[in-house]
Amino acid sequence: MKVKDLLDSGKFQVIHAGDDPEREITTPFCCDLLSVAMGKAPAGCAWVTVMGNMNTLAACIILAEGAALDETARKKAEQQDIMVLATEEPVFEAALWVWRHMQGEGHGA
């Protein structure tokens, strides 16, 4: 799955599209503890979290459960061209949606 697939899915609100729509998403990653995420988030992941501050900005962030970026983080995402998406869905359901689409199982849901 590529970043553009997430952008084009209609599943997520696009906060910032980022600069690399062709980048490959290797796996969803769920974590709301920054110290764990910093050490264990795999390269190429789509990080699904409820933390919307500057410390969570990585290559691809999906804010779940209605979480929003604070203004400082929004500006930093724009400056660094980091993709940030948002959804009202819980963390697990958002990550599961990504996983299923990566496996070719998701169609329209």
Side-chain angles (χ1 to χ4, degrees), residues 28-65:
F29 178 76
C30 302
C31 186
D32 291 324
L33 185 58
L34 183 61
S35 59
V36 172
M38 297 280 291
K40 299 205 180 223
C45 73
W47 183 9
V48 185
T49 182
V50 297
M51 296 187 309
N53 61 51
M54 228 170 72
N55 294 327
T56 62
L57 293 179
C60 176
I61 301 294
I62 300 172
L63 295 172
E65 301 184 28

